[in-house]
Amino acid sequence: MLKNILAVTALVCVASAAHAQVDTVRATTLPPAQLAEKLYNSGVAKYNQKSYRAAILDFDKALAAKPDFAKAYYNRATTRYELKEYQPAVQDYDQAIKLDPNTFGPYFGRGQAREALGQSAEAEQDYSKATELKADYAPSWYYRGALRFEKGNYQEAKADFDQAIKADPAYAYAWHDRGSAQRQLNNLPAAIQDYSKALSLQPELLPALLNRAATKRRAGDLKGAMQDYNDYLSKKQDNALAYTNRGATRFEQGDFKGAVDDFSKAIALRADYAYAWNNRAAAYLKLEDYAKAEADASKAIGLNAQYAEAYLTRGHAREMLRHPDQACQDWRKAAELGLEVGNTYASNSGCGAQ
Protein backbone atom coordinates (compact mmCIF):
# COMPACT_ATOMS: atom_id res chain seq x y z
CA MET A 1 0.00 0.00 0.00
CA LEU A 2 2.81 2.38 0.88
CA LYS A 3 4.41 1.96 -2.55
CA ASN A 4 1.18 2.94 -4.30
CA ILE A 5 0.80 6.13 -2.27
CA LEU A 6 4.36 7.19 -3.03
CA ALA A 7 3.86 6.53 -6.72
CA VAL A 8 0.73 8.68 -6.88
CA THR A 9 2.40 11.50 -5.01
CA ALA A 10 5.31 11.49 -7.42
CA LEU A 11 3.02 11.68 -10.42
CA VAL A 12 1.10 14.59 -8.94
CA CYS A 13 4.32 16.51 -8.38
CA VAL A 14 5.40 15.95 -11.98
CA ALA A 15 2.05 17.06 -13.30
CA SER A 16 2.13 20.24 -11.26
CA ALA A 17 5.60 21.05 -12.48
CA ALA A 18 4.51 20.63 -16.08
CA HIS A 19 1.99 23.45 -15.81
CA ALA A 20 4.12 25.83 -13.74
CA GLN A 21 5.85 28.79 -15.32
CA VAL A 22 9.44 28.95 -13.99
CA ASP A 23 12.57 30.86 -14.84
CA THR A 24 15.02 28.09 -13.90
CA VAL A 25 16.45 25.47 -16.22
CA ARG A 26 17.06 21.79 -15.55
CA ALA A 27 20.47 20.72 -14.35
CA THR A 28 22.26 18.88 -17.12
CA THR A 29 23.81 15.46 -16.52
CA LEU A 30 27.54 15.64 -15.79
CA PRO A 31 29.88 14.12 -18.40
CA PRO A 32 30.97 10.61 -17.31
CA ALA A 33 34.56 11.59 -16.56
CA GLN A 34 33.50 14.57 -14.45
CA LEU A 35 30.85 12.51 -12.66
CA ALA A 36 33.39 9.79 -11.95
CA GLU A 37 35.82 12.31 -10.49
CA LYS A 38 33.13 13.79 -8.27
CA LEU A 39 32.10 10.36 -6.96
CA TYR A 40 35.75 9.42 -6.49
CA ASN A 41 36.41 12.51 -4.37
CA SER A 42 33.32 11.74 -2.32
CA GLY A 43 34.60 8.20 -1.77
CA VAL A 44 37.98 9.47 -0.61
CA ALA A 45 36.31 11.85 1.84
CA LYS A 46 34.19 9.03 3.26
CA TYR A 47 37.25 6.79 3.52
CA ASN A 48 39.04 9.48 5.52
CA GLN A 49 35.99 9.58 7.82
CA LYS A 50 36.28 5.78 8.18
CA SER A 51 32.86 5.35 6.54
CA TYR A 52 34.21 2.46 4.52
CA ARG A 53 30.98 0.94 3.23
CA ALA A 54 29.77 4.30 2.01
CA ALA A 55 33.14 4.94 0.39
CA ILE A 56 32.92 1.66 -1.54
CA LEU A 57 29.48 2.64 -2.89
CA ASP A 58 30.95 5.87 -4.25
CA PHE A 59 33.92 4.09 -5.81
CA ASP A 60 31.49 1.57 -7.36
CA LYS A 61 29.56 4.42 -8.98
CA ALA A 62 32.74 6.14 -10.11
CA LEU A 63 33.85 2.95 -11.85
CA ALA A 64 30.43 2.49 -13.43
CA ALA A 65 30.82 5.95 -14.95
CA LYS A 66 34.46 5.44 -15.92
CA PRO A 67 35.52 1.76 -16.06
CA ASP A 68 39.19 2.58 -16.73
CA PHE A 69 39.58 4.76 -13.60
CA ALA A 70 42.75 3.29 -12.07
CA LYS A 71 42.71 5.48 -8.96
CA ALA A 72 39.17 4.38 -8.15
CA TYR A 73 40.21 0.72 -8.31
CA TYR A 74 43.20 1.50 -6.11
CA ASN A 75 41.19 3.32 -3.47
CA ARG A 76 38.40 0.78 -3.49
CA ALA A 77 41.05 -1.88 -2.92
CA THR A 78 42.50 0.12 -0.02
CA THR A 79 39.03 0.45 1.48
CA ARG A 80 38.37 -3.27 1.12
CA TYR A 81 41.67 -3.95 2.86
CA GLU A 82 40.50 -1.88 5.82
CA LEU A 83 37.34 -4.02 5.89
CA LYS A 84 39.54 -7.16 5.87
CA GLU A 85 38.08 -8.15 2.48
CA TYR A 86 41.49 -9.18 1.26
CA GLN A 87 40.69 -11.24 -1.83
CA PRO A 88 38.41 -8.57 -3.36
CA ALA A 89 41.13 -6.05 -2.50
CA VAL A 90 43.68 -8.10 -4.44
CA GLN A 91 41.33 -8.18 -7.44
CA ASP A 92 40.96 -4.40 -7.36
CA TYR A 93 44.71 -3.93 -7.05
CA ASP A 94 45.09 -6.23 -10.07
CA GLN A 95 42.88 -3.90 -12.11
CA ALA A 96 44.72 -0.80 -10.90
CA ILE A 97 48.05 -2.36 -11.92
CA LYS A 98 46.68 -3.43 -15.30
CA LEU A 99 45.56 0.15 -15.99
CA ASP A 100 48.64 1.84 -14.49
CA PRO A 101 51.57 -0.59 -14.17
CA ASN A 102 54.17 2.06 -13.33
CA THR A 103 52.78 3.28 -10.01
CA PHE A 104 54.18 1.75 -6.82
CA GLY A 105 51.09 2.13 -4.62
CA PRO A 106 48.98 -0.72 -6.02
CA TYR A 107 51.93 -3.13 -5.78
CA PHE A 108 52.54 -2.21 -2.16
CA GLY A 109 48.85 -2.44 -1.33
CA ARG A 110 48.49 -5.78 -3.07
CA GLY A 111 51.52 -7.01 -1.15
CA GLN A 112 49.82 -6.18 2.13
CA ALA A 113 46.59 -7.87 1.07
CA ARG A 114 48.45 -10.97 -0.11
CA GLU A 115 50.40 -11.07 3.13
CA ALA A 116 47.10 -10.96 5.04
CA LEU A 117 45.96 -13.93 2.93
CA GLY A 118 49.09 -15.87 3.89
CA GLN A 119 50.61 -15.56 0.40
CA SER A 120 54.07 -14.56 1.60
CA ALA A 121 55.99 -15.32 -1.60
CA GLU A 122 53.60 -13.28 -3.73
CA ALA A 123 53.61 -10.46 -1.18
CA GLU A 124 57.40 -10.36 -1.26
CA GLN A 125 57.33 -10.05 -5.05
CA ASP A 126 54.91 -7.14 -4.80
CA TYR A 127 57.02 -5.34 -2.20
CA SER A 128 60.06 -5.86 -4.44
CA LYS A 129 58.26 -4.27 -7.39
CA ALA A 130 57.23 -1.36 -5.18
CA THR A 131 60.87 -0.79 -4.18
CA GLU A 132 61.86 -0.76 -7.86
CA LEU A 133 59.26 1.85 -8.72
CA LYS A 134 59.84 4.06 -5.67
CA ALA A 135 63.09 3.39 -3.86
CA ASP A 136 62.52 6.13 -1.30
CA TYR A 137 59.27 4.66 0.06
CA ALA A 138 60.44 3.15 3.35
CA PRO A 139 57.45 0.86 4.12
CA SER A 140 58.06 -1.25 0.99
CA TRP A 141 61.56 -2.06 2.20
CA TYR A 142 60.37 -2.55 5.77
CA TYR A 143 57.58 -4.99 4.99
CA ARG A 144 59.77 -7.02 2.65
CA GLY A 145 62.40 -7.11 5.37
CA ALA A 146 59.85 -8.36 7.87
CA LEU A 147 58.86 -11.20 5.53
CA ARG A 148 62.49 -12.16 5.03
CA PHE A 149 63.08 -12.04 8.78
CA GLU A 150 60.18 -14.45 9.32
CA LYS A 151 61.77 -16.85 6.81
CA GLY A 152 65.05 -16.74 8.74
CA ASN A 153 66.88 -14.75 6.04
CA TYR A 154 68.36 -12.37 8.59
CA GLN A 155 71.10 -10.90 6.42
CA GLU A 156 68.64 -10.06 3.64
CA ALA A 157 66.20 -8.71 6.20
CA LYS A 158 68.89 -6.46 7.65
CA ALA A 159 69.70 -5.14 4.18
CA ASP A 160 66.03 -4.23 3.67
CA PHE A 161 65.82 -2.52 7.04
CA ASP A 162 68.99 -0.61 6.10
CA GLN A 163 67.18 0.70 3.02
CA ALA A 164 64.05 1.55 5.01
CA ILE A 165 66.14 3.60 7.45
CA LYS A 166 67.96 5.30 4.56
CA ALA A 167 64.61 6.30 3.07
CA ASP A 168 63.19 7.39 6.42
CA PRO A 169 65.70 7.87 9.26
CA ALA A 170 62.82 8.48 11.71
CA TYR A 171 61.22 5.08 11.05
CA ALA A 172 61.32 3.66 14.59
CA TYR A 173 59.99 0.22 13.64
CA ALA A 174 62.71 -0.20 11.03
CA TRP A 175 65.37 0.55 13.65
CA HIS A 176 63.72 -1.91 16.03
CA ASP A 177 63.46 -4.72 13.51
CA ARG A 178 66.98 -4.15 12.27
CA GLY A 179 68.01 -4.57 15.90
CA SER A 180 66.25 -7.94 15.94
CA ALA A 181 68.02 -8.96 12.74
CA GLN A 182 71.36 -7.88 14.22
CA ARG A 183 70.57 -9.94 17.29
CA GLN A 184 69.87 -13.03 15.20
CA LEU A 185 73.19 -12.44 13.41
CA ASN A 186 74.88 -12.22 16.84
CA ASN A 187 75.82 -8.58 16.30
CA LEU A 188 74.82 -7.80 19.87
CA PRO A 189 76.35 -4.31 20.35
CA ALA A 190 74.82 -3.18 17.04
CA ALA A 191 71.45 -4.66 18.06
CA ILE A 192 71.53 -2.73 21.34
CA GLN A 193 72.32 0.48 19.46
CA ASP A 194 69.41 -0.07 17.08
CA TYR A 195 66.94 -0.75 19.90
CA SER A 196 68.19 2.38 21.66
CA LYS A 197 67.67 4.44 18.51
CA ALA A 198 64.14 3.08 18.13
CA LEU A 199 63.40 4.10 21.72
CA SER A 200 64.84 7.58 21.20
CA LEU A 201 62.47 8.02 18.25
CA GLN A 202 59.47 6.42 19.93
CA PRO A 203 59.86 6.12 23.73
CA GLU A 204 56.62 4.14 24.09
CA LEU A 205 57.79 1.39 21.74
CA LEU A 206 57.97 -1.05 24.64
CA PRO A 207 58.97 -4.14 22.62
CA ALA A 208 62.25 -2.35 21.90
CA LEU A 209 62.85 -1.98 25.64
CA LEU A 210 62.08 -5.66 26.24
CA ASN A 211 64.27 -6.81 23.36
CA ARG A 212 67.13 -4.56 24.39
CA ALA A 213 66.96 -6.09 27.86
CA ALA A 214 67.17 -9.61 26.42
CA THR A 215 70.09 -8.60 24.21
CA LYS A 216 71.97 -7.03 27.10
CA ARG A 217 71.42 -10.18 29.13
CA ARG A 218 72.75 -12.30 26.28
CA ALA A 219 75.77 -9.98 26.03
CA GLY A 220 76.47 -10.47 29.75
CA ASP A 221 75.28 -7.02 30.86
CA LEU A 222 72.97 -8.27 33.61
CA LYS A 223 72.81 -4.90 35.35
CA GLY A 224 71.76 -3.15 32.14
CA ALA A 225 69.24 -5.90 31.41
CA MET A 226 67.72 -5.50 34.88
CA GLN A 227 67.36 -1.77 34.39
CA ASP A 228 65.50 -2.30 31.10
CA TYR A 229 63.25 -5.00 32.58
CA ASN A 230 62.46 -2.74 35.51
CA ASP A 231 61.63 0.17 33.19
CA TYR A 232 59.43 -2.07 31.07
CA LEU A 233 57.56 -3.57 34.02
CA SER A 234 57.00 -0.15 35.55
CA LYS A 235 54.92 0.64 32.45
CA LYS A 236 53.37 -2.73 31.67
CA GLN A 237 52.57 -5.31 34.34
CA ASP A 238 50.57 -7.84 32.31
CA ASN A 239 53.39 -9.52 30.40
CA ALA A 240 54.29 -12.95 31.80
CA LEU A 241 57.31 -13.22 29.51
CA ALA A 242 58.80 -10.01 30.92
CA TYR A 243 58.53 -11.32 34.47
CA THR A 244 60.00 -14.66 33.41
CA ASN A 245 62.95 -13.01 31.70
CA ARG A 246 63.60 -10.67 34.60
CA GLY A 247 63.38 -13.69 36.90
CA ALA A 248 65.97 -15.49 34.77
CA THR A 249 68.24 -12.44 34.98
CA ARG A 250 67.87 -12.38 38.77
CA PHE A 251 68.61 -16.09 38.85
CA GLU A 252 71.84 -15.48 36.91
CA GLN A 253 72.73 -12.73 39.41
CA GLY A 254 72.26 -15.17 42.28
CA ASP A 255 69.07 -13.46 43.55
CA PHE A 256 67.05 -16.66 43.85
CA LYS A 257 64.32 -15.23 46.09
CA GLY A 258 63.82 -12.39 43.62
CA ALA A 259 63.70 -14.94 40.82
CA VAL A 260 61.00 -16.92 42.64
CA ASP A 261 58.98 -13.73 43.06
CA ASP A 262 59.17 -12.93 39.33
CA PHE A 263 58.36 -16.47 38.23
CA SER A 264 55.40 -16.46 40.61
CA LYS A 265 54.09 -13.25 39.02
CA ALA A 266 54.44 -14.84 35.59
CA ILE A 267 52.49 -17.88 36.77
CA ALA A 268 49.77 -15.67 38.26
CA LEU A 269 49.35 -14.10 34.82
CA ARG A 270 49.59 -17.38 32.89
CA ALA A 271 48.87 -20.52 34.85
CA ASP A 272 49.69 -22.67 31.79
CA TYR A 273 53.18 -21.19 31.36
CA ALA A 274 55.30 -24.33 31.69
CA TYR A 275 58.61 -22.49 31.42
CA ALA A 276 57.80 -20.26 34.38
CA TRP A 277 56.90 -23.32 36.49
CA ASN A 278 60.17 -25.04 35.64
CA ASN A 279 62.19 -21.89 36.18
CA ARG A 280 60.65 -21.42 39.59
CA ALA A 281 61.46 -25.06 40.34
CA ALA A 282 65.10 -24.35 39.47
CA ALA A 283 65.11 -21.34 41.79
CA TYR A 284 63.61 -23.44 44.60
CA LEU A 285 66.42 -25.95 44.06
CA LYS A 286 68.94 -23.18 44.67
CA LEU A 287 67.04 -22.22 47.83
CA GLU A 288 67.12 -25.89 48.89
CA ASP A 289 63.33 -26.10 49.00
CA TYR A 290 63.25 -29.44 47.24
CA ALA A 291 59.61 -30.31 47.84
CA LYS A 292 58.46 -27.12 46.12
CA ALA A 293 60.98 -27.70 43.34
CA GLU A 294 59.58 -31.18 42.71
CA ALA A 295 56.00 -29.88 42.74
CA ASP A 296 56.74 -27.06 40.29
CA ALA A 297 58.69 -29.31 37.92
CA SER A 298 55.83 -31.82 38.01
CA LYS A 299 53.42 -29.02 37.13
CA ALA A 300 55.61 -28.04 34.17
CA ILE A 301 55.65 -31.66 32.97
CA GLY A 302 51.89 -31.84 33.35
CA LEU A 303 51.59 -28.86 31.04
CA ASN A 304 54.20 -30.12 28.56
CA ALA A 305 55.03 -33.82 28.68
CA GLN A 306 57.91 -33.28 26.22
CA TYR A 307 59.67 -30.67 28.35
CA ALA A 308 63.10 -32.27 28.81
CA GLU A 309 64.52 -29.58 31.13
CA ALA A 310 61.62 -30.07 33.55
CA TYR A 311 62.45 -33.78 33.87
CA LEU A 312 66.06 -32.84 34.55
CA THR A 313 65.00 -30.36 37.23
CA ARG A 314 62.62 -32.80 38.87
CA GLY A 315 65.31 -35.45 38.83
CA HIS A 316 67.58 -33.16 40.87
CA ALA A 317 64.78 -32.39 43.32
CA ARG A 318 63.95 -36.07 43.76
CA GLU A 319 67.59 -36.93 44.27
CA MET A 320 67.76 -34.44 47.14
CA LEU A 321 64.48 -35.79 48.54
CA ARG A 322 66.10 -39.25 48.63
CA HIS A 323 63.98 -40.73 45.85
CA PRO A 324 66.82 -42.16 43.75
CA ASP A 325 64.75 -44.46 41.55
CA GLN A 326 62.39 -41.67 40.56
CA ALA A 327 65.33 -39.35 39.98
CA CYS A 328 66.92 -41.89 37.65
CA GLN A 329 63.66 -42.24 35.71
CA ASP A 330 63.44 -38.49 35.26
CA TRP A 331 67.03 -38.13 34.08
CA ARG A 332 66.64 -40.95 31.60
CA LYS A 333 63.45 -39.34 30.30
CA ALA A 334 65.33 -36.05 29.85
CA ALA A 335 67.99 -37.91 27.85
CA GLU A 336 65.30 -39.63 25.78
CA LEU A 337 63.90 -36.19 24.92
CA GLY A 338 67.28 -34.94 23.73
CA LEU A 339 69.16 -33.76 26.83
CA GLU A 340 72.16 -36.10 26.82
CA VAL A 341 73.29 -34.67 30.15
CA GLY A 342 70.46 -36.68 31.69
CA ASN A 343 72.42 -39.85 31.01
CA THR A 344 75.45 -38.25 32.64
CA TYR A 345 73.53 -37.50 35.83
CA ALA A 346 72.06 -41.01 35.83
CA SER A 347 75.52 -42.56 35.41
CA ASN A 348 77.14 -40.36 38.07
CA SER A 349 74.39 -41.19 40.54
CA GLY A 350 74.79 -44.91 40.05
CA CYS A 351 71.48 -45.51 38.33
CA GLY A 352 71.24 -49.10 37.20
CA ALA A 353 70.50 -50.23 33.69
CA GLN A 354 66.91 -49.89 32.57
Side-chain angles (χ1 to χ4, degrees), residues 249-272:
T249 305
R250 284 177 163 169
F251 184 97
E252 291 171 12
Q253 289 179 317
D255 179 10
F256 304 121
K257 289 183 179 179
V260 165
D261 182 59
D262 273 343
F263 297 139
S264 297
K265 288 176 180 176
I267 290 166
L269 289 168
R270 273 188 56 191
D272 63 344

Side-chain angles (χ1 to χ4, degrees), residues 10 82 116 145 168 174 234 266 305 330 351-352:
E82 291 295 332
D168 181 3
S234 71
D330 279 342
C351 296

Side-chain angles (χ1 to χ4, degrees), residues 110-120 122-123 127 143-144 146-147 150:
R110 190 173 68 178
Q112 290 202 295
R114 284 175 161 176
E115 187 173 351
L117 288 168
Q119 300 169 358
S120 298
E122 293 83 354
Y127 294 143
Y143 280 97
R144 190 177 73 173
L147 283 177
E150 290 173 4

Side-chain angles (χ1 to χ4, degrees), residues 239-301:
N239 190 331
L241 175 63
Y243 282 112
T244 299
N245 286 345
R246 188 176 71 174
T249 305
R250 284 177 163 169
F251 184 97
E252 291 171 12
Q253 289 179 317
D255 179 10
F256 304 121
K257 289 183 179 179
V260 165
D261 182 59
D262 273 343
F263 297 139
S264 297
K265 288 176 180 176
I267 290 166
L269 289 168
R270 273 188 56 191
D272 63 344
Y273 197 1
Y275 297 106
W277 286 100
N278 181 63
N279 286 348
R280 191 172 72 172
Y284 278 136
L285 276 178
K286 291 292 186 179
L287 293 169
E288 300 182 1
D289 194 336
Y290 304 121
K292 287 183 179 178
E294 181 189 27
D296 277 0
S298 294
K299 180 67 175 180
I301 291 166

Side-chain angles (χ1 to χ4, degrees), residues 71-110:
K71 289 193 298 182
Y73 277 114
Y74 171 73
N75 281 278
R76 190 172 70 176
T78 301
T79 309
R80 284 175 163 168
Y81 179 86
E82 291 295 332
L83 291 167
K84 296 182 170 55
E85 297 174 354
Y86 302 123
Q87 191 57 52
V90 167
Q91 292 169 354
D92 275 349
Y93 284 127
D94 288 343
Q95 289 299 315
I97 290 167
K98 182 178 178 180
L99 291 166
D100 184 6
N102 296 315
T103 301
F104 83 97
Y107 288 101
F108 176 76
R110 190 173 68 178

